[in-house]
Amino acid sequence: MSESQFSPSAAAMDFIQRQHKFLIGDQWLEAEDGRTLPVINPANGEQITTVPSGDKADIDKAVAMARKTFEDSDWSRIKPVDRQKLLWNFADLIEKNAGLLAEIESLDNGKSVVIAEHVDIRLAVDFLRYMAGFATKIEGRSVDVSVPFMPDAQFHGYTRREAVGVVGAIVAWNFPLLLACWKLGPALATGCTVVLKPADETPLTALMLGQLALEAGYPSGVLNVVTGVGIEAGAALSHHPDVDKLTFTGSTQVGKMIGKAAIDSMTRVTLELGGKSPTIVLEDADVQTAAAGAANAIFFNQGQVCCAGSRLYVHKKHFDNVVADISAIAEGMTLGHGLDPNAQMGPLISAKQQHRVCNYIDQGRNSGATITTGGIAVPGPGFFVKPTVMVDVNQNSTVVQEEIFGPVLVAMPFDDIDEAVRIANDSQYGLGASIWSNNLSQVHRMIPRIKSGSVWVNCHTALDPALPFGGYKQSGLGREMGSDVIEHYTEVKSVLMSI
């Protein structure tokens, strides 16, 4: 089909074609040195617009604004119930503009506009509303203290939770709007201010979030959005001495660099990083259900998911059948433009990522793996790779141990549950895992043995705002979502009063 059949709406074109500026305070500004960054549509490789390419000078300005707003403004004195109302307003505006945001996300990222609206934006809205409730439920506790070296004195002791301060939020390109909202929800609920740095490749919905935040009634300086490349704007934010907390979603390699920068200034930090999540199909599982679930676990969002089910372990009794079913599903998938409602898989984010994924496929092929389907890039415009399944792989091989971040599944059989647990845990990562079985007693015994932050049973990558999300091992530090996330955006203060 021609590109003209998937033209954006007038509203989406109006947004894309404007002269984009980033948000500091309530001012829309160009980069101080005037540089811009191209924005590419992954479906055809064409530039659709540009955004300012901010650097240290722009980050300094944004952090100074966030600091001033946090320390001395109406926001610093706002009541919890008003923080709650503002988050509801923000969520309502995102919901109202869901169709437009989904189009922008699709053009910017390449993902399906249907998935963007009904998964990414739906979850973002639900999460912001969930977080809004916590604005009025941030609590300390009273403590009956003894102070043993002052036995005759009387004291009143209590703790209080206070907003950590200025938050530097850096998000990845695979779920640009959703990941931004995962950072904004707890930051705004607790009373922090934010400097948001979206990924180089996908800056557009972050800029619209800045616009919607102002429309929702947030005071100037509460949310600041600076676009730019990671090695300039991202690095400046990570190393900034006046940032109280860093929150990052992205690769483990970059996360380690951000973590080291945070340690230098004792900045609080949470890191949601890479994964190589196992999908484990037990002997008693429903084979067709498991195969369909495993296919969705790896091919959803083109495999560009940190917790994608990229390692498949199947009991030897069902291995051939499950692999055959997944391969058939892959062969039947329609690849296409994100605005095509019939497309089941879109492009990868960039030519660089397409090359990276194909290089891993070649490594697997050269090491003796058998490719049952896919294994090639799609010729023509855009950055497409066919959904790929590999068998005859070694547990210690690169394609099994390293995160590919594309639609590539490596599959291996196992003999018994002990072996399944051992090889599932044989990874530097520990973000997610799924178990497919009809024997829930057996599953319950397995769950404590699986070293990952999330374990799904008869599903994969099912997320809810009330459940924390994050990883073991090199998959990160801290958690997103759930009530646990509030701890990462607050400090605990102990108070002891002599009475």
Side-chain angles (χ1 to χ4, degrees):
M1 292 185 177
S2 66
E3 284 286 309
S4 62
Q5 291 179 277
F6 310 116
S7 299
S9 67
M13 287 303 299
D14 178 66
F15 179 86
I16 288 168
Q17 292 176 347
R18 69 177 59 172
Q19 182 181 359
H20 293 288
K21 300 179 180 182
F22 50 54
L23 178 64
I24 297 179
D26 58 2
Q27 301 296 308
W28 294 93
L29 304 172
E30 297 178 353
E32 193 162 295
D33 63 7
R35 290 183 303 158
T36 60
L37 187 66
V39 179
I40 305 299
N41 180 352
N44 55 26
E46 295 178 2
Q47 179 175 313
I48 55 175
T49 189
T50 62
V51 297
S53 185
D55 60 13
K56 184 178 183 301
D58 302 293
I59 290 293
D60 286 346
K61 191 182 302 182
V63 172
M65 175 60 70
R67 171 60 60 194
K68 180 180 179 182
T69 302
F70 179 74
E71 299 290 354
D72 186 21
S73 72
D74 291 343
W75 177 251
S76 68
R77 295 176 287 274
I78 193 171
K79 294 184 180 298
V81 70
D82 293 321
R83 293 202 304 269
Q84 177 179 263
K85 290 176 182 177
L86 284 170
L87 258 182
W88 271 98
N89 291 346
F90 192 29
D92 288 348
L93 284 171
I94 293 172
E95 185 175 56
K96 180 180 178 181
N97 290 277
L100 174 58
L101 285 163
E103 278 192 87
I104 296 168
E105 197 84 319
S106 177
L107 292 166
D108 200 5
N109 170 275
K111 68 172 57 194
S112 162
V113 68
V114 177
I115 296 297
E117 181 170 0
H118 296 287
V119 177
D120 300 33
I121 296 169
R122 177 71 267 162
L123 183 55
V125 169
D126 285 356
F127 176 66
L128 291 178
R129 288 174 176 159
Y130 175 81
M131 277 291 114
F134 277 99
T136 56
K137 299 169 186 66
I138 298 169
E139 301 173 341
R141 57 193 176 94
S142 61
V143 182
D144 192 8
V145 298
S146 299
V147 192
F149 55 84
M150 299 175 67
D152 296 326
Q154 294 292 313
F155 295 95
H156 171 52
Y158 65 96
T159 66
R160 50 179 284 120
R161 283 200 171 270
E162 301 175 351
V164 70
V166 175
V167 173
I170 304 173
V171 299
W173 45 255
N174 55 335
F175 293 91
L177 182 142
L178 175 58
L179 295 176
C181 289
W182 279 11
K183 317 297 187 187
L184 295 177
L188 299 177
T190 55
C192 298
T193 56
V194 182
V195 178
L196 172 64
K197 210 297 283 185
D200 313 4
E201 299 87 348
T202 53
L204 295 181
T205 50
L207 295 175
M208 191 166 177
L209 285 176
Q211 174 184 320
L212 295 178
L214 292 177
E215 290 180 25
Y218 279 100
S220 167
V222 173
L223 174 57
N224 308 273
V225 183
V226 179
T227 55
V229 298
I231 59 174
E232 294 180 352
L237 188 58
S238 300
H239 288 84
H240 204 291
D242 209 24
V243 169
D244 299 298
K245 178 198 163 46
L246 287 165
T247 174
F248 170 75
T249 298
S251 71
T252 295
Q253 179 184 8
V254 175
K256 287 180 178 180
M257 292 188 288
I258 289 174
K260 290 175 183 176
I263 288 296
D264 286 342
S265 55
M266 296 305 293
T267 303
R268 284 23 178 180
V269 63
T270 50
L271 304 169
E272 197 267 284
L273 306 177
K276 192 72 175 178
S277 300
T279 303
I280 307 166
V281 181
L282 301 185
E283 184 177 6
D284 61 283
D286 181 284
V287 173
Q288 289 185 324
T289 300
N296 185 66
I298 182 59
F299 300 136
F300 173 69
N301 206 51
Q302 298 74 253
Q304 299 175 137
V305 183
C306 53
C307 57
S310 52
R311 292 185 292 146
L312 175 65
Y313 300 113
V314 185
H315 189 275
K316 61 183 180 181
K317 175 181 176 181
H318 300 306
F319 182 77
D320 290 341
N321 288 336
V322 170
V323 169
D325 285 353
I326 295 173
S327 299
I329 291 170
E331 289 169 3
M333 294 185 77
T334 302
L335 279 64
H337 196 291
L339 296 184
D340 180 358
N342 297 313
Q344 296 168 289
M345 182 180 289
L348 301 184
I349 188 66
S350 64
K352 177 182 177 181
Q353 185 66 11
Q354 182 190 46
H355 176 76
R356 180 177 186 271
V357 170
C358 288
N359 184 54
Y360 271 111
I361 293 172
D362 289 341
Q363 287 183 52
R365 186 184 285 114
N366 293 338
S367 67
T370 300
I371 296 176
T372 67
T373 186
I376 58 171
V378 179
F383 312 126
F384 294 88
V385 172
K386 286 191 174 182
T388 299
V389 179
M390 291 187 190
V391 296
D392 301 324
V393 292
N394 184 286
Q395 175 69 18
N396 297 319
S397 66
T398 300
V399 292
V400 175
Q401 292 297 325
E402 295 185 10
E403 184 178 39
I404 297 174
F405 221 64
V408 180
L409 179 68
V410 294
M412 287 160 280
F414 65 84
D415 290 318
D416 54 42
I417 287 177
D418 286 341
E419 183 187 11
V421 170
R422 179 182 60 78
I423 56 180
N425 288 335
D426 180 23
S427 171
Q428 65 178 320
Y429 299 108
L431 190 55
S434 61
I435 303 171
W436 298 78
S437 171
N438 289 316
N439 185 339
L440 293 185
S441 177
Q442 184 171 249
V443 169
H444 276 296
R445 291 193 295 271
M446 282 183 69
I447 288 172
R449 302 175 66 190
I450 301 296
K451 304 304 181 185
S452 68
S454 295
V455 177
W456 294 284
V457 179
N458 295 327
C459 59
H460 196 103
T461 323
L463 302 175
D464 186 90
L467 281 174
F469 180 78
Y472 288 24
K473 298 187 276 190
Q474 294 200 39
S475 287
L477 300 170
R479 293 293 182 267
E480 307 279 358
M481 299 201 297
S483 60
D484 301 70
V485 74
I486 293 294
E487 295 183 10
H488 298 307
Y489 290 81
T490 54
E491 294 277 20
V492 177
K493 179 177 288 181
S494 295
V495 181
L496 189 63
M497 303 176 66
S498 177
I499 57 175

